[in-house]
Amino acid sequence: MSTPVSAQDVKGIIPAGSKGPVSMPIVVAVPKEMAPGEHRVATVPEVVQKLTKSGYEVRIEHDAGTGAFYPDDLYIAAGAKIASCPAELLNGARIVLRVQPPTVADVDQLAEGTIVIGFMNPANNLEAIARMRDRKVTAFALELVPRITRAQSMDALSSQATAGGYVAAILGADNCPKFLPMLTTAAGTIRPAIVLILGAGVAGLMAIATAKRLGALVEAYDVRRAAGEQVRSVGAKFLELEINAEGQGGYARELTPEEKAQEQQMVSAAVARADIVITTAAIPGRRAPLLVTKETVATMRPGAVIVDLAAESGGNCELTQFGKTIREHGVIIIGPQNLPARVSFHSSLMYAKNLQSFLALLVDKDGMLIKEFTDEILAASLLVHAGDVRHGPTRDLLSGGTP
Ligand code: NAD
């Protein structure tokens, strides 16, 4: 393990003891993601080229991009340096760009004052967050970037949900024993498959668009009535219910028990006639809503497929098992884990561009790191800083309360 370099040594911009403001490049380090099944990388050569042009020194851990098909030599050609081990990577690094949250062991390698940017999965990563607090590491959580127009270019939840929705539709088609498009052939006419999408947020809309391109008949449902227009604009039929559960910030609110019963009834009828059901319904900070009961699964046709994108937060289908594919009543139920990692080349590219936009907020017009994170986007996504957990719900969880 490396000896951590003190923040004073690496303040990065003005070297200790120097007389004037001699600019030193800000070192941005990108580790190889070590979480099982994680093939993405936090930056890609195209973005490295822009960062080095802007004056950053970019260091990439050896093989960090291999899982996403960005070999070391492309990073070198783009101006990055390759570090052979984490110690070499982090020595003097001011900013660390990650995809998955750091582990406690990762945090222990960071010098005080290092800025880490990536997904932090705060509710499930409390130990590492406490360690970042104690080691006075600064962490920005991309999940906390507000969904405002100015932040669209750094909205990693959206870019990765887009990738997830695409893969979900492909997975559904791959597991379906039917053609998706209508076919008129000498051997007869084939009717198009029916694909039902439950939850028409970012992932759902991408799944709809992908299933449409494959030629299926697509129906979709969301509790937010505003989603109807978006669903129709990508050529699918929107299933209407007398509920509008638009909550704060464009997200859905939890339904009342009466509304839930009404929803279940309509959803069950639609599920029963579908060949592929892709579920993406989520409510921030809550268990995923239960939309497909085991009784409803029993009414589906044998050979039907459910792809439950909400598997990680409890599943929209009662029978889903996270990370597994099971078969019940002849129905294949897929509870996928980390779908964006299956299109690692493009999901990494989109993620890297999100981070590039985010990084731009952290430097002033002279390319110096800013000290006050007062910008609305930075303030909202600042999870840990200077020995404090800045995100209230995470602070509550750490002190043993409910968020
Ligand atoms: P999400 O992942 O939190 O949820 C996915 C979808 O599930 C949402 O559309 C939600 O309404 C739906 N849902 C929740 N409970 C449901 C239920 N019981 N039945 C059916 N559907 C249910 O959402 P997301 O994809 O992250 O997007 C949430 C919202 O944020 C959307 O309105 C989206 O357009 C908006 N958004 C805005 C911006 C921006 O302005 N920058 C960026 C991204 C998303």
Side-chain angles (χ1 to χ4, degrees):
M1 208 183 77
S2 63
T3 312
V5 184
S6 93
Q8 271 65 36
D9 296 336
V10 293
K11 247 188 181 127
I13 317 153
I14 304 174
S18 105
K19 291 201 180 97
V22 181
S23 267
M24 298 221 320
I26 300 169
V27 177
V28 175
V30 180
K32 181 172 169 61
E33 297 291 322
M34 298 309 284
E38 184 53 84
H39 305 301
R40 291 171 292 176
V41 59
T43 200
V44 300
E46 182 184 324
V47 170
V48 168
Q49 201 169 23
K50 296 197 174 112
L51 293 178
T52 47
K53 254 197 194 142
S54 312
Y56 293 94
E57 177 184 322
V58 184
R59 267 187 226 155
I60 310 284
E61 188 174 351
H62 167 56
D63 261 356
T66 308
F69 301 92
Y70 299 101
D72 284 354
D73 55 357
L74 287 186
Y75 286 104
I76 294 169
K81 293 182 178 158
I82 301 295
S84 60
C85 62
E88 191 184 330
L89 177 80
L90 296 170
N91 185 13
R94 256 334 243 115
I95 297 177
V96 176
L97 304 181
R98 307 186 53 93
V99 179
Q100 292 287 342
T103 62
V104 170
D106 293 328
V107 175
D108 283 346
Q109 300 194 357
L110 302 177
E112 183 180 318
T114 307
I115 298 172
V116 188
I117 310 168
F119 285 126
M120 294 288 159
N121 194 0
N124 300 307
N125 200 26
L126 294 176
E127 210 188 333
I129 291 169
R131 193 65 133 243
M132 289 197 275
R133 175 195 63 199
D134 298 343
R135 290 184 66 85
K136 297 196 170 60
V137 163
T138 296
F140 287 99
L142 294 179
E143 300 87 335
L144 302 178
V145 168
R147 257 51 205 278
I148 55 173
T149 307
R150 191 166 69 86
Q152 268 177 1
S153 62
M154 44 199 104
D155 186 347
L157 276 183
S158 286
S159 70
Q160 303 309 293
T162 299
Y166 170 82
V167 180
I170 302 289
L171 256 185
D174 188 30
N175 283 276
C176 177
K178 294 187 175 180
F179 288 118
L180 265 61
M182 187 179 111
L183 296 179
T184 310
T185 77
T189 300
I190 307 280
R191 280 157 44 146
I194 299 176
V195 177
L196 172 68
I197 316 282
L198 300 176
V202 180
L205 286 170
M206 187 62 183
I208 294 170
T210 307
K212 277 297 293 179
R213 287 178 190 128
L214 289 171
L217 266 181
V218 186
E219 298 185 339
Y221 163 68
D222 196 294
V223 274
R224 290 179 300 109
R225 203 165 292 152
E229 198 179 314
Q230 291 165 319
V231 165
R232 285 186 282 267
S233 76
V234 285
K237 180 178 170 197
F238 188 62
L239 303 175
E240 302 261 7
L241 202 62
E242 287 304 302
I243 297 174
N244 184 16
E246 180 113 28
Q248 274 185 339
Y251 288 105
R253 63 164 170 81
E254 194 154 22
L255 300 184
T256 64
E258 296 75 40
E259 288 174 332
K260 276 184 189 164
Q262 234 183 313
E263 174 179 69
Q264 286 262 328
Q265 205 181 4
M266 185 196 70
V267 165
S268 300
V271 168
R273 61 176 180 260
D275 296 298
I276 300 172
V277 179
I278 297 171
T279 67
T280 76
I283 301 163
R286 303 267 261 287
R287 188 208 179 281
L290 183 59
L291 301 177
V292 184
T293 61
K294 55 181 190 293
E295 290 78 17
T296 305
V297 173
T299 66
M300 295 176 77
R301 295 189 197 119
V305 184
I306 298 176
V307 184
D308 191 344
L309 272 191
E312 190 169 1
S313 53
N316 293 140
C317 170
E318 196 175 355
L319 297 173
T320 298
Q321 292 184 30
F322 179 48
K324 292 199 175 142
T325 296
I326 60 164
R327 190 185 283 261
E328 288 279 345
H329 308 289
V331 177
I332 293 177
I333 304 169
I334 306 172
Q337 200 169 2
N338 197 352
L339 286 187
R342 298 205 195 185
V343 280
S344 56
F345 182 89
H346 276 137
S347 55
S348 298
L349 173 64
M350 292 164 90
Y351 187 80
K353 289 189 173 178
N354 294 146
L355 284 179
Q356 183 195 346
S357 299
F358 192 92
L359 269 180
L361 297 179
L362 287 172
V363 290
D364 63 20
K365 58 181 177 15
D366 301 318
M368 310 284 242
L369 269 181
I370 56 163
K371 293 196 172 62
E372 300 295 328
F373 304 130
T374 47
D375 176 278
E376 179 187 8
I377 298 167
L378 295 178
S381 56
L382 186 61
L383 179 64
V384 187
H385 182 55
D388 284 324
V389 174
R390 298 293 180 97
H391 181 237
T394 306
R395 199 169 47 235
D396 291 346
L397 281 174
L398 274 167
S399 57
T402 44

